[in-house]
Amino acid sequence: MDYPKILEEIKESLALEPKTGTVASYIPELAKISPNKFGMHLCCFEQGNFAFGDSRERFSIQSVSKVFSLTLAIQLLGNKVLERVGIEPSGDPFNSLILLENENGIPRNPLINSGALVIADILVEHLERPKEDFLNFVRKISGQSDIQFNKQVAQSEKDWGYRNAALVNLMKSFGNINGDIEEVLDFYFHQCALEMSCEELANTFMLYANHGKIFGTEEEILNTSQTKRLNAVMLACGFYDEAGEFSFKVGLPGKSGVGGGIAAIHPGNFSVAVWSPQLNEKGNSALGMLALELLTTKTGLSIF
Ligand code: GLN
């Protein structure tokens, strides 16, 4: 596969695209990012790494972190995690409260805010030093020992986190949050405030393309069956109420965040991460989605 040529073509196509979308501003700290950033990093099993643009610059990974917290929760508790959170797409925005009332405080899936807050509750309960242990876990699976939470972003989320506070309170009223609300929110805001580059995200996501083993060291983090299930959840739920559109256009399991990042995988073939902070109305990176659509179209490598 001529990946250098394909990435060059993607880069050229994106340069011609009219800039649409807006940088997330409901977390004021995120609004400070230049809308024109763009990075892409592709990590292949056979042919190595290819990248362009701002692929080495760290950014706020936001909801992409939900995949890492879910991974750690599955590692700790296995299928028990799914007693408190479902695996179905919600068809609603990522921070919606609507379904929770009717569904007794059980979130549809772990990749929307309500579900990730339940996962945060599980981690707060089962980790000795939750934030530190989670950070060390991400450092381990990424192989990057200097990955950090951005404290200003975490604080900004806390200052404006009314909806997340509402979600966690509602779930607590149904008995689906065990821990202290402030502690669960603090963990969640820090988790979302992790900073990583496209290169680091793509390298880390190789885990999900590699049957749950860290690419390179081959250390097992999840078993094959757990990885299959997690990838299925990403495919069905990784893009909120745009999961169908992402499957339709791109055809890869993946996860987006309101920082403008998207990471996706093709099992046994590659992982890829893109970053462009301008979001479409569903909260997914507009150019990021287009770049991935071009990648799977030009390579013919979607999972379908
Ligand atoms: N921290 C963000 C929030 O809770 C994450 C949302 C996202 O990336 N979709 O609203």
Side-chain angles (χ1 to χ4, degrees):
M1 191 76 70
D2 194 350
Y3 285 118
K5 181 163 171 275
I6 289 172
L7 260 68
E8 189 55 39
E9 285 172 12
I10 294 174
K11 187 175 156 188
E12 281 166 15
S13 301
L14 295 180
L16 299 174
E17 272 301 302
K19 302 280 177 287
T20 53
T22 42
V23 178
S25 58
Y26 77 102
I27 301 169
E29 215 38 48
L30 293 184
K32 296 179 179 169
I33 306 298
S34 162
N36 300 323
K37 295 284 182 191
F38 190 94
M40 181 165 189
H41 186 104
L42 178 71
C43 185
C44 306
F45 277 85
E46 303 291 336
Q47 286 178 255
N49 291 268
F50 307 92
F52 68 86
D54 304 305
S55 60
R56 290 197 158 150
E57 187 172 327
R58 285 185 175 163
F59 59 93
S60 194
I61 71 165
Q62 291 293 316
S63 285
V64 181
S65 68
K66 288 169 180 163
V67 178
F68 302 146
S69 57
L70 179 60
T71 302
L72 183 52
I74 292 173
Q75 202 191 46
L76 290 170
L77 294 188
N79 287 340
K80 263 182 88 64
V81 170
L82 299 177
E83 288 168 11
R84 292 175 54 190
V85 57
I87 50 162
E88 296 297 339
S90 68
D92 279 322
F94 59 82
N95 55 7
S96 174
L97 286 119
I98 300 273
L99 292 169
L100 272 185
E101 173 77 354
N102 284 336
E103 298 182 357
N104 300 320
I106 308 288
R108 274 289 170 97
N109 69 69
L111 300 182
I112 48 177
N113 287 17
S114 51
L117 285 160
V118 168
I119 301 297
D121 183 52
I122 290 172
L123 294 180
V124 164
E125 189 176 340
H126 287 87
L127 297 174
E128 213 166 298
R129 293 155 305 166
K131 284 189 285 189
E132 210 180 315
D133 293 352
F134 176 68
L135 185 59
N136 284 333
F137 175 72
V138 176
R139 287 173 173 173
K140 177 182 166 170
I141 59 174
S142 64
Q144 298 295 323
S145 57
D146 62 345
I147 284 175
Q148 296 285 0
F149 301 124
N150 180 321
K151 296 275 175 200
Q152 282 100 312
V153 171
Q155 186 59 44
S156 188
E157 294 213 36
K158 189 174 184 170
D159 293 342
W160 295 90
Y162 305 117
R163 267 190 171 265
N164 288 317
L167 288 167
V168 83
N169 275 285
L170 184 56
M171 291 190 289
K172 181 101 182 164
S173 79
F174 281 107
N176 198 19
I177 293 289
N178 297 333
D180 172 67
I181 282 178
E182 290 307 320
E183 204 186 339
V184 173
L185 284 171
D186 182 63
F187 179 91
Y188 173 77
F189 293 141
H190 278 81
Q191 160 199 325
C192 290
L194 271 179
E195 291 191 323
M196 292 172 77
S197 66
C198 289
E199 181 178 35
E200 290 164 342
L201 275 179
N203 285 330
T204 312
F205 264 68
M206 279 300 264
L207 172 69
Y208 308 106
N210 192 30
H211 305 292
K213 296 188 182 73
I214 295 176
F215 187 59
T217 70
E218 299 304 303
E219 179 181 341
E220 185 175 288
I221 300 296
L222 298 178
N223 65 35
T224 305
S225 158
Q226 290 168 328
T227 311
K228 177 188 77 176
R229 291 174 168 195
L230 195 146
N231 288 343
V233 173
M234 281 203 270
L235 185 73
C237 316
F239 299 84
Y240 325 112
D241 44 341
E242 206 169 30
E245 180 100 357
F246 192 83
S247 284
F248 187 77
K249 288 186 170 165
V250 180
L252 299 174
K255 184 72 200 85
S256 64
V258 291
I262 301 177
I265 57 131
H266 191 298
N269 266 306
F270 62 75
S271 73
V272 59
V274 287
W275 173 43
S276 167
Q278 286 177 290
L279 308 179
N280 64 22
E281 67 287 355
K282 303 287 170 104
N284 295 316
S285 172
L287 282 187
M289 269 181 76
L290 178 61
L292 295 177
E293 182 183 357
L294 289 169
L295 178 71
T296 54
T297 305
K298 286 174 187 291
T299 58
L301 288 174
S302 84
I303 63 162
F304 302 109

